[in-house]
Each structure stands twice: as structure tokens, then as C-alpha cells.
Amino acid sequence: MNYIHSVALIAVVALVTIALRFLPFAVFNGKRKTPEIVTYLGRVLPFAIMGMLVIYCYKGISFLSSPFGIPELIAGAGVVVLHLIKRNTLLSIVGGTVIYMLLIQLVFV
């Protein structure tokens, strides 16, 4: 019984996700001009989302207690440096995560 519920839940979530991914293509399939607001949002939302992720990552830092946010700031600087050198978002994110995990597991124990 529990197995059927889990499979049904995953199927519904997958179908909704697929439908949401294909909906813009179905609505704007070349017959209609894409509205300016949609084009504008497609241009600015990725930067807004990245900004929100940076705020979320740094919101819990305590600068008054050890390690004073040092691992987070070093990892953030690593992300910036990697992105400036390689211009690869995935590499920057993975590299920053690796830097942070190494710092908190090996250096700031």
C-alpha cells in the first residue's frame, strides 16, 4: 500500500514538472510573438535567482563566534575566482562546494 502511494506521488510530481517545462513551448510555439515581459523576465531572473542564493547562503553566518564566517567567505571567493577564470557556472558551484566542505571538515573543525 505504502509502495503504491510513493510511486503515484513520484509520478504526479514528474508529470507536473514535465508539464511546466513544456508549457512555454506549447504557448509560444512560433505562431505567436513572445510578450516583452516574458523576454525581459528570461533575461533578468537568472541573475535575481543567483543573488537570492547568495543571500540565502550567507544569512546564517555568525561573525561574532568562531569561525567568524571565514569558511563561507573563502568558499565564496573561490566561486568568484573560478567563475572569472573558467566562465563555467557548474564548475564554479561545484568548486565552491568542495572548497567549503574541505574547509569545514579539515581546517575549521
Side-chain angles (χ1 to χ4, degrees), residues 18-40:
I18 290 169
L20 289 174
R21 302 281 181 184
F22 286 111
L23 185 63
F25 295 104
V27 173
F28 305 112
N29 61 2
K31 296 176 184 171
R32 294 172 37 183
K33 184 179 181 307
T34 305
E36 288 296 319
I37 186 70
V38 174
T39 306
Y40 170 75

Side-chain angles (χ1 to χ4, degrees), residues 22-103:
F22 286 111
L23 185 63
F25 295 104
V27 173
F28 305 112
N29 61 2
K31 296 176 184 171
R32 294 172 37 183
K33 184 179 181 307
T34 305
E36 288 296 319
I37 186 70
V38 174
T39 306
Y40 170 75
L41 289 174
R43 210 171 47 247
V44 299
L45 278 180
F47 300 107
I49 291 168
M50 290 306 252
M52 291 300 294
L53 287 173
V54 168
I55 291 169
Y56 177 77
C57 289
Y58 288 134
K59 74 175 176 61
I61 297 176
S62 174
F63 293 105
L64 301 176
S65 62
S66 182
F68 308 105
I70 296 170
E72 292 86 354
L73 295 173
I74 292 172
V79 169
V80 170
V81 168
L82 274 172
H83 193 70
L84 290 175
I85 292 171
K86 293 293 185 177
R87 299 276 182 207
N88 185 322
T89 305
L90 182 60
L91 177 65
S92 303
I93 293 170
V94 170
T97 303
V98 168
I99 292 169
Y100 177 72
M101 293 308 292
L102 287 173
L103 286 171

